[in-house]
Amino acid sequence: MAKRSTPKKQQANSQSSRRYKAYQNKARKRLVDMTALSKCDQCSEMKLAHAACATCGTYKGRTVIDQSKAMDKITKIQA
Ligand SMILES: [Zn+2]
């Protein structure tokens, strides 16, 4: 025995997809809000809060990642 009433009409695909898109947007917004972003003091780029800036390598005004020593992209393997 059905616990809820039987749908009277078949639902249009657009109606289902509209409901799903609303749910998707809500979930996406929630994810963005969870990611704590802040502005870097040195280069004013967006960075993760409580973490060193990936662009300039500073954290709280001091350099923690030396950008000059950053490894070059490996393009070929030397034997
Ligand atoms: Zn920075």
Side-chain angles (χ1 to χ4, degrees):
M1 201 165 99
K3 287 195 171 180
R4 61 193 183 106
S5 61
T6 314
K8 296 291 178 284
K9 283 176 185 171
Q10 187 179 2
Q11 202 167 43
N13 287 337
S14 62
Q15 207 171 349
S16 307
S17 71
R18 198 185 312 147
R19 189 181 343 99
Y20 179 65
K21 287 293 173 193
Y23 165 77
Q24 228 179 10
N25 283 335
K26 206 172 173 184
R28 189 174 291 141
K29 191 178 182 304
R30 202 175 295 147
L31 267 176
V32 168
D33 290 346
M34 276 166 65
T35 316
L37 291 173
S38 63
K39 210 176 216 178
C40 178
D41 296 330
Q42 303 291 320
C43 62
S44 66
E45 284 279 328
M46 294 306 278
K47 68 172 190 71
L48 278 173
H50 314 291
C53 176
T55 314
C56 62
T58 56
Y59 181 72
K60 287 191 173 178
R62 61 190 174 91
T63 308
V64 287
I65 303 167
D66 198 357
Q67 294 291 346
S68 62
K69 285 182 182 173
M71 288 204 332
D72 294 327
K73 193 175 179 184
I74 299 168
T75 52
K76 63 177 181 180
I77 299 164
Q78 292 169 335

PDB file of all heavy atoms in Angstrom, residues 40 43 53 56 58, ligand 1:
ATOM      1  N   CYS A  40      45.721  38.529   0.511  1.00  0.00           N
ATOM      2  CA  CYS A  40      47.126  38.555   0.920  1.00  0.00           C
ATOM      3  C   CYS A  40      47.547  39.998   1.196  1.00  0.00           C
ATOM      4  O   CYS A  40      47.171  40.910   0.466  1.00  0.00           O
ATOM      5  CB  CYS A  40      47.988  37.938  -0.173  1.00  0.00           C
ATOM      6  SG  CYS A  40      49.747  37.974   0.194  1.00  0.00           S
ATOM      7  N   CYS A  43      50.579  40.838  -1.788  1.00  0.00           N
ATOM      8  CA  CYS A  43      50.257  40.940  -3.215  1.00  0.00           C
ATOM      9  C   CYS A  43      48.757  41.120  -3.460  1.00  0.00           C
ATOM     10  O   CYS A  43      48.347  41.224  -4.608  1.00  0.00           O
ATOM     11  CB  CYS A  43      50.771  39.706  -3.959  1.00  0.00           C
ATOM     12  SG  CYS A  43      50.044  38.155  -3.435  1.00  0.00           S
ATOM     13  N   CYS A  53      50.723  32.337   1.333  1.00  0.00           N
ATOM     14  CA  CYS A  53      50.232  32.722   0.009  1.00  0.00           C
ATOM     15  C   CYS A  53      50.990  31.921  -1.047  1.00  0.00           C
ATOM     16  O   CYS A  53      52.211  31.828  -1.001  1.00  0.00           O
ATOM     17  CB  CYS A  53      50.442  34.217  -0.196  1.00  0.00           C
ATOM     18  SG  CYS A  53      49.968  34.787  -1.826  1.00  0.00           S
ATOM     19  N   CYS A  56      53.035  34.746  -3.626  1.00  0.00           N
ATOM     20  CA  CYS A  56      54.269  35.408  -3.221  1.00  0.00           C
ATOM     21  C   CYS A  56      55.013  34.651  -2.114  1.00  0.00           C
ATOM     22  O   CYS A  56      56.148  34.992  -1.804  1.00  0.00           O
ATOM     23  CB  CYS A  56      53.981  36.839  -2.792  1.00  0.00           C
ATOM     24  SG  CYS A  56      52.888  36.980  -1.386  1.00  0.00           S
ATOM     25  N   THR A  58      54.421  34.374   1.194  1.00  0.00           N
ATOM     26  CA  THR A  58      54.580  35.008   2.496  1.00  0.00           C
ATOM     27  C   THR A  58      53.447  34.597   3.428  1.00  0.00           C
ATOM     28  O   THR A  58      52.353  34.227   2.985  1.00  0.00           O
ATOM     29  CB  THR A  58      54.579  36.542   2.367  1.00  0.00           C
ATOM     30  OG1 THR A  58      53.381  36.948   1.706  1.00  0.00           O
ATOM     31  CG2 THR A  58      55.764  37.040   1.577  1.00  0.00           C
TER      32      THR A  58
HETATM   33 ZN    ZN B   1      50.708  36.978  -1.625  1.00  0.00          ZN
END
